[in-house]
Amino acid sequence: MEIIKLENVNRIYSNNGAPYTALTDINLSISEGEFVLISGHSGSGKTSLLNIIGTLDKPTSGLVSIFGELISAKNKLALSYLRHQKFGYIFQVFNLIPALSSFENIEYPLILAGVNVESRNERVQSVIDELELNDISLKKPNQLSSGQQQKIAIARAIVNQPEIILADEPTANLETETRNDIYKIFRKLNEEKKICIIMATHDELAIPFAKRLIILENGLIKSDKVN
């Protein structure tokens, strides 16, 4: 089933008053359960495309539909609800809260959602067990390696049981072994939980883990093929 559709999407920014085109005439359809890798050189439009798919940004022109509903028809409250219910976001910057333990960082989205304490504890512990994070669950971010921090960020992104995970350069500056570990986690989430993974990266090590490869060049889709 199609869950994401972009039709003739363009994104133009203002760069010191001059227009800068990040995306040009993007037509894209993504179905549930896919693992899509968006690749391309720096400045190719990867982050712009990911932000529009995740409703973090709006296109200058064109239509975006998520689960069959036009994003342009939704107000801020409805978009916030959609993000919270359907998406998990993972970025290059981990955005962990320094004063909280790993467990508490993972738990935080559930607190915001008003989930009761017993359910929170069960869901957080389930994610910790699944990603094998028990040995670091009580540590704070400054006690963790970069790879461990990213794994906590992934756990936080999936604790709300999203249908889509958006990952923007999630392994930048990580060592090769750690990058492979992260990609294996994404593949496991995709295959076992059927979460749709959409990841933007220039890391060629990620290619074998994805099921579909989209290459951007100067804001255009250069190729789109089954991997």
Side-chain angles (χ1 to χ4, degrees):
M1 183 183 76
E2 180 184 79
I3 57 176
I4 296 168
K5 186 174 184 179
L6 278 65
E7 300 176 82
N8 300 316
V9 164
N10 295 274
R11 185 63 174 102
I12 302 172
Y13 299 98
S14 177
N15 185 11
N16 294 323
Y20 168 72
T21 301
L23 297 171
T24 302
D25 293 331
I26 299 295
N27 289 282
L28 179 63
S29 175
I30 296 175
S31 299
E32 61 183 359
E34 287 201 75
F35 188 158
V36 182
L37 188 67
I38 301 172
S39 186
H41 296 298
S42 178
S44 61
K46 300 189 301 296
T47 295
S48 295
L49 179 56
L50 212 64
N51 286 344
I52 286 175
I53 290 173
T55 76
L56 299 174
D57 193 13
K58 295 181 179 180
T60 304
S61 62
L63 300 176
V64 179
S65 300
I66 309 292
F67 295 97
E69 298 183 12
L70 276 175
I71 294 305
S72 58
K74 292 183 175 292
N75 59 29
K76 289 183 178 180
L77 183 61
L79 284 176
S80 178
Y81 181 81
L82 174 68
R83 295 185 197 110
H84 179 74
Q85 294 294 316
K86 300 295 185 180
F87 288 95
Y89 300 89
I90 301 164
F91 303 100
Q92 179 177 341
V93 179
F94 314 124
N95 293 319
L96 300 179
I97 300 173
L100 301 183
S101 68
S102 296
F103 188 102
E104 292 166 334
N105 267 284
I106 298 168
E107 179 187 32
Y108 192 66
L110 300 178
I111 295 175
L112 296 179
V115 178
N116 65 61
V117 174
E118 183 178 356
S119 294
R120 290 203 310 263
N121 289 338
E122 288 179 359
R123 286 168 63 175
V124 173
Q125 190 58 52
S126 176
V127 169
I128 286 173
D129 291 341
E130 182 179 0
L131 299 187
E132 301 179 355
L133 302 173
N134 278 287
D135 59 333
I136 61 172
S137 64
L138 299 181
K139 293 184 178 181
K140 293 185 177 181
N142 66 359
Q143 298 173 300
L144 304 176
S145 69
S146 295
Q148 289 172 327
Q149 289 185 61
Q150 189 61 292
K151 289 176 183 179
I152 296 301
I154 292 171
R156 181 184 57 190
I158 67 172
V159 76
N160 265 334
Q161 301 168 339
E163 294 183 46
I164 303 167
I165 287 179
L166 298 178
D168 189 6
E169 298 285 3
T171 61
N173 304 318
L174 299 181
E175 296 178 353
T176 299
E177 183 178 351
T178 305
R179 281 148 54 199
N180 277 318
D181 287 345
I182 298 294
Y183 299 144
K184 287 176 183 176
I185 289 172
F186 284 135
R187 187 65 182 252
K188 179 180 179 181
L189 293 172
N190 175 251
E191 292 182 342
E192 296 184 4
K193 291 184 172 294
K194 308 304 179 185
I195 298 175
C196 178
I197 309 288
I198 307 172
M199 178 167 60
T201 182
H202 63 273
D203 184 9
E204 294 184 357
L205 284 178
I207 293 176
F209 294 90
K211 299 175 182 177
R212 179 179 174 188
L213 177 61
I214 296 173
I215 298 178
L216 293 183
E217 187 174 288
N218 298 323
L220 295 162
I221 294 180
K222 183 180 179 181
S223 68
D224 181 353
K225 60 184 180 181
V226 176
N227 194 22

